[in-house]
Amino acid sequence: MDNALNNALLARCAQKYGTPLYVYDFHSITTQFQAFKNAFKARKSLICYALKANSNLSIINHLAKLGSGADCVSIGEVRRALLAGIPKYKIIYSGVGKRDDEICEALKSDILFLNVESAAELERIESIAKDLGVVARISVRVNPNIDAKTHPYISTGLHENKFGVDIQSAKQMYIFAKNSPHIEPIGIHFHIGSQLTDLEPIRQGAMKIAELTHSLLALKIDIKFFDVGGGVGIRYTDEREIPLYDYAQAILEALRGLDVTIICEPGRYIVGKSGVLVSKVLYEKHNGHKRFVIVDAAMNDLMRPALYNAVHTMRVVQRDNIVCAEDLCLSEGIKSHQSRADVVGAICESSDFLAKDIVLPPLAHSDIVAFENVGAYGYSMAHTYNTRPRAAEVGVQDDEDFLIKPMECFENMVADEIKALEQRHTGN
Ligand code: LLP
């Protein structure tokens, strides 16, 4: 367990806030952020937390107070970053499909820069900046054509992926930008994928992009920010984690001789381990020999198993109203009744599983379980399929728990639809 979320605390939170429930240890977020910051302390650096991992305002605000910047991928995320107190000069905005209104608002908000992902987007930015009478600060996302060796759905650094532009096109975009009075190219960016556990592709990426930076500087294009993206992986089961020191060294080595500020965009590394999803057992059932434990969380709360076959270890928090010891010291009697089961939710899809083929003791209605390492891409990917309200979110710091988002309620979920229905019927 890489956080302070012990079973007694989780049982207490389940009782107080109901389930399903996301619980985050804010102290763990602090530790992870500071570790990242420290790894780069020898150089000018800015850690821009990737909001997409978890964009709850209380979490962003916590990171803002630690000095974090924000990596955003929609104008909604830019608004969240600003609302939560991240200064505009620490906000960057990436994404392959920025709409005109998003570009316009980002330019008006005067954030640090926009990461541009195509020549066509650069032209749109130029024209919008011209209309607004502002100069758009930009960075180009370069696709170094490197295999990040991660899950294909979260691999982004190959030419077959939609992200960024190849090195030759990037050069042309920088020259276009330099010659435009409405654009100021100040950064360079690459991001080859997420949940990376192998340092080599990152090292190669950094070398390639550093080489390009040298050639841009020779063309008098003043690159001030070297944005290495995010992607540092965490241990869910038995993955090898890249030591942050080695990660930083690989990047610093590539940057030798370049006077640039390093920008990192970690998401998962900062919040992944901080969170658990607490859920209550509803039923057990057997279909032939197959055992299922049905819980009150489902794939709408945690998409990662259904989408990537991701494994989130599950622990039993409370059985028969008794809080379990952390290592689930079961009596010999109970142990002999353990068997393999799939843990599933109530959604009408066979992809709705949260754990597969794990050994569990007999469980009964109201027992409590928790899925680990869901702080990143857990709640942020939750949705309301089957008209299931999204879970509540709770923070924990110094053994104190506090609500950071209540459970969605049915009335709010349908409020706009009721309004639309009424308007159509009444004609106004
Ligand atoms: N920067 C860029 C440009 C990105 O595309 C991403 C993630 C990050 C930073 C943050 O990456 P991180 O440090 O969190 O690995 N839903 C997937 C992960 C999708 C990641 C998308 N981009 C999952 O649950 O594994």
Side-chain angles (χ1 to χ4, degrees):
M1 193 166 60
D2 289 298
N3 53 51
L5 306 175
N6 60 53
N7 286 347
L9 182 130
L10 294 183
R12 186 177 88 205
C13 288
Q15 168 80 20
K16 184 163 165 188
Y17 302 101
T19 54
L21 175 72
Y22 272 93
V23 184
Y24 309 107
D25 173 12
F26 277 43
H27 180 68
S28 150
I29 298 175
T30 307
T31 310
Q32 296 295 97
F33 178 81
Q34 278 167 349
F36 223 100
K37 189 75 198 152
N38 276 339
F40 287 95
K41 69 168 184 277
R43 286 285 294 252
K44 286 178 285 181
S45 65
L46 173 62
I47 311 297
C48 287
Y49 165 64
L51 259 60
K52 61 175 86 66
N54 189 319
S55 55
N56 184 289
L57 287 182
S58 296
I59 288 180
I60 308 171
N61 175 254
H62 181 73
L63 286 162
K65 286 193 264 182
L66 297 171
S68 182
D71 167 45
C72 305
V73 288
S74 69
I75 205 65
E77 286 192 350
V78 172
R79 289 181 187 177
R80 276 184 183 272
L82 289 167
L83 256 179
I86 306 244
K88 62 183 184 186
Y89 56 86
K90 288 188 184 173
I91 298 176
I92 56 180
Y93 177 17
S94 322
V96 293
K98 303 182 194 75
R99 297 186 313 261
D100 286 6
D101 62 294
E102 293 187 297
I103 294 170
C104 183
E105 188 173 329
L107 292 179
K108 282 188 190 157
S109 303
D110 197 26
I111 58 174
L112 181 56
F113 61 75
L114 279 77
N115 268 324
V116 184
E117 304 224 17
S118 63
E121 183 194 338
L122 188 60
E123 283 170 28
R124 290 291 326 149
I125 293 175
E126 188 199 36
S127 128
I128 294 168
K130 186 176 169 198
D131 290 348
L132 290 174
V134 299
V135 174
R137 288 180 296 275
I138 62 109
S139 147
V140 174
R141 177 167 179 179
V142 185
N143 181 322
N145 201 26
I146 287 172
D147 183 358
K149 302 192 184 107
T150 182
H151 191 288
Y153 288 7
I154 51 177
S155 181
T156 54
L158 285 169
H159 284 170
E160 67 197 54
N161 304 125
K162 68 182 173 184
F163 301 96
V165 296
D166 62 71
I167 289 184
Q168 208 39 45
S169 311
K171 257 191 195 163
Q172 284 160 5
M173 284 165 68
Y174 277 109
I175 293 167
F176 173 89
K178 179 179 159 51
N179 292 331
S180 164
H182 309 292
I183 304 180
E184 185 189 2
I186 61 166
I188 191 159
H189 170 51
F190 74 103
H191 168 86
I192 56 173
S194 191
Q195 183 53 13
L196 308 180
T197 52
D198 185 352
L199 183 55
E200 215 31 53
I202 303 173
R203 188 196 306 280
Q204 284 169 22
M207 296 299 279
K208 265 196 179 179
I209 305 306
E211 206 176 293
L212 174 59
T213 308
H214 281 290
S215 63
L216 296 173
L217 289 169
L219 293 171
K220 302 260 174 307
I221 295 165
D222 189 12
I223 302 294
K224 298 186 183 73
F225 296 95
F226 191 93
D227 176 354
V228 299
V232 179
I234 61 170
R235 179 172 296 132
Y236 287 99
T237 52
D238 56 358
E239 297 91 337
R240 203 163 28 109
E241 283 188 0
I242 301 172
L244 274 192
Y245 177 83
D246 298 355
Y247 173 73
Q249 287 316 108
I251 289 163
L252 294 175
E253 232 165 75
L255 290 184
R256 206 171 286 157
L258 284 172
D259 179 24
V260 286
T261 298
I262 300 164
I263 294 186
C264 302
E265 306 172 351
R268 190 188 317 263
Y269 187 87
I270 305 293
V271 292
K273 290 180 178 174
S274 75
V276 301
L277 173 61
V278 185
S279 181
K280 252 187 200 145
V281 173
L282 295 174
Y283 311 105
E284 285 232 17
K285 70 185 268 186
H286 288 81
N287 281 350
H289 289 300
K290 182 89 186 173
R291 175 183 171 205
F292 293 97
V293 174
I294 302 163
V295 296
D296 68 358
M299 70 190 273
N300 73 299
D301 300 299
L302 181 62
M303 276 294 282
R304 302 194 74 256
L307 200 52
Y308 317 113
N309 250 321
V311 176
H312 290 274
T313 329
M314 191 193 93
R315 65 174 137 134
V316 181
V317 169
Q318 181 174 299
R319 274 186 89 242
D320 278 341
N321 277 320
I322 298 170
V323 174
C324 301
E326 294 311 319
D327 55 356
L328 190 61
C329 298
L330 298 170
S331 70
E332 286 308 314
I334 294 174
K335 261 189 195 159
S336 65
H337 286 96
Q338 292 200 113
S339 65
R340 292 194 169 269
D342 285 4
V343 182
V344 301
I347 286 179
C348 316
E349 306 245 359
S350 289
S351 59
D352 180 21
F353 61 89
L354 296 171
K356 271 215 154 141
D357 205 27
I358 59 171
V359 176
L360 287 174
L363 292 168
H365 195 276
S366 298
D367 286 348
I368 299 171
V369 298
F371 300 90
E372 312 270 7
N373 303 315
V374 300
Y377 307 109
Y379 190 92
S380 64
M381 291 172 73
H383 50 87
T384 58
Y385 186 38
N386 284 194
T387 306
R388 290 171 54 89
R390 269 174 286 222
E393 293 179 288
V394 161
V396 171
Q397 198 164 18
D398 304 326
D399 213 32
E400 202 184 298
D401 51 82
F402 44 92
L403 191 65
I404 60 174
K405 185 162 184 193
M407 181 179 275
E408 230 166 1
C409 71
F410 175 76
E411 288 70 23
N412 286 348
M413 286 168 81
V414 295
D416 289 339
E417 293 168 51
I418 290 176
K419 218 188 287 168
L421 196 59
E422 282 172 355
Q423 269 168 8
R424 210 168 143 232
H425 283 175
T426 58
N428 54 45

